Amino acid sequence: MSKNEAITYSGKTALISGAAGGIGFALAKEFGELGMNVVIADIDEAALENAKQQLELLNINVLACQLDVTEYAQWQACIEQTIATFGKLHMVVNNAGVGGVPGKIEQTDHDIWRWVIDVNLMGVLYGTQAATPEIKRHGEGGWIINVASMAGMMGVPYASSYSATKAAVVSMTESWSVELKPHNIHVAALCPAFVKTRIHESLRNKQDKYKSAKELKEFTPEEKERYKKSFGQAAAFVESGIPADLLAKRVVEALDSGQQYIFTHPNYKEATDYRAALISKAFNDAEQSNLVKHLIGDDMVSL
């Protein structure tokens, strides 16, 4: 959607993953109150039904769809239900995500990493791949909103799996934004800092296929203490975050002005400015290099 066009949400349909609570539910509520049909999808069936009832009390047209975002066939089934119920799909919000387990690199659990990658990265790919043909089909344009994080703009110590996947989401968003622009599909990366959600409790919904990873109860006393401290710190940060309802309103505000990156915490600009300065310094170094400075002035590959 062009930032020069008036944005109309009413009567259109949004599919939101991880929508039984937190950011996903807040976005469903916000878009529903703007007149959109909302499809809420989540792996937690009980929480999903509760969310559906809450939205119905607000007179929002809602469809609930149980969804494990790591299963492409379930994405396809959910979109089929969406089309059967509302006729068209205009927006997909790839919100479902997990925080992983904080820790040092030498304490990395490979199964936890695979879980985080499959949910946070592959889940976004699957959602976009499954939804894009339906958004293209009606020719009215639409939106793909990928929930990344400030961790995708700046690595976070002891949270490398989370940071890596969120950086990938930002990069995928940048790629798809160029690819889908001719189809009037606006692709944006939502990059919040701390928001009051249950991201620090992600292990509660870890799928059975990832249960080969150590569970908390199997840890040694030393590991238990370390993880208890790590999760306790994460919980404190999350609880200090902004309300999810405020974030949802900020998303609409940013979509209305055509933003590709949606930031909710302007106080983090200094961190991204520092990163940009390091990148600029590194390019300056390359320009002075006798090995590669002859490339100055060469045309870049067209994007």
Side-chain angles (χ1 to χ4, degrees):
M1 292 291 183
S2 169
K3 64 181 179 181
N4 296 318
E5 297 177 2
I7 304 295
T8 301
Y9 300 99
S10 184
K12 296 180 179 179
T13 301
L15 166 58
I16 305 169
S17 68
I23 290 173
F25 179 78
L27 287 170
K29 180 174 176 287
E30 184 69 20
F31 286 123
E33 290 179 338
L34 289 173
M36 294 190 82
N37 308 309
V38 294
V39 182
I40 56 172
D42 203 282
I43 196 170
D44 188 331
E45 187 173 10
L48 186 64
E49 178 59 29
N50 180 61
K52 178 176 181 286
Q53 292 176 9
Q54 291 185 57
L55 294 173
E56 287 175 336
L57 289 174
L58 297 172
N59 295 316
I60 292 171
N61 294 327
V62 57
L63 169 69
C65 179
Q66 191 171 13
L67 172 68
D68 177 348
V69 296
T70 70
E71 298 288 343
Y72 187 65
Q74 292 190 27
W75 271 107
Q76 292 176 306
C78 189
I79 288 173
E80 287 175 3
Q81 292 178 52
T82 299
I83 301 305
T85 303
F86 296 120
K88 298 177 182 179
L89 176 63
H90 301 84
M91 175 188 290
V92 63
V93 182
N94 291 303
N95 167 68
V98 296
V101 177
K104 298 178 181 178
I105 181 59
E106 61 267 30
Q107 298 161 345
T108 293
D109 184 318
H110 294 173
D111 292 319
I112 290 289
W113 257 79
R114 175 55 56 193
W115 172 54
V116 175
I117 288 172
D118 284 354
V119 175
N120 291 3
L121 194 162
M122 298 306 295
V124 173
L125 167 62
Y126 291 161
T128 302
Q129 184 180 17
T132 295
E134 290 301 334
I135 300 176
K136 285 182 176 180
R137 196 180 309 281
H138 51 66
E140 299 170 7
W143 305 265
I144 296 171
I145 304 171
N146 299 320
V147 180
S149 168
M150 281 305 302
M153 308 297 290
M154 43 179 280
V156 177
Y158 311 111
S160 53
S161 61
Y162 183 77
S163 299
T165 54
K166 294 304 185 179
V169 169
V170 172
S171 184
M172 291 191 296
T173 298
E174 292 167 339
S175 299
W176 295 333
S177 178
V178 176
E179 177 183 345
L180 297 177
K181 185 177 180 180
H183 301 278
N184 201 26
I185 300 174
H186 180 73
V187 189
L190 171 57
C191 301
F194 292 107
V195 183
K196 292 180 181 178
T197 68
R198 298 180 67 189
I199 187 69
H200 57 292
E201 299 176 13
S202 301
L203 285 171
R204 74 188 189 279
N205 284 329
K206 185 151 68 71
Q207 301 93 317
D208 288 343
K209 62 186 176 182
Y210 302 105
K211 290 291 179 71
S212 59
K214 279 187 174 181
E215 301 296 337
L216 197 59
K217 63 183 179 182
E218 298 174 354
F219 292 158
T220 65
E222 293 77 14
E223 288 174 324
K224 285 183 180 180
E225 185 59 32
R226 184 175 75 242
Y227 288 122
K228 180 180 179 182
K229 181 178 180 181
S230 295
F231 283 119
Q233 291 173 337
F237 285 130
V238 170
E239 287 301 317
S240 70
I242 63 172
D245 287 347
L246 174 61
L247 175 143
K249 293 184 182 302
R250 170 59 188 148
V251 168
V252 173
E253 180 182 59
L255 290 181
D256 286 349
S257 61
Q259 301 304 307
Q260 179 175 324
Y261 308 95
I262 303 176
F263 293 118
T264 60
H265 290 69
N267 50 316
Y268 277 77
K269 183 176 183 295
E270 183 177 348
T272 57
D273 284 349
Y274 175 71
R275 183 192 190 200
L278 290 178
I279 292 172
S280 180
K281 182 179 178 182
F283 270 115
N284 290 338
D285 182 73
E287 289 176 350
Q288 301 302 316
S289 168
N290 290 328
L291 297 172
V292 295
K293 66 182 181 181
H294 65 282
L295 297 173
I296 296 173
D298 280 11
D299 291 337
M300 295 187 301
V301 175
S302 180
L303 297 178

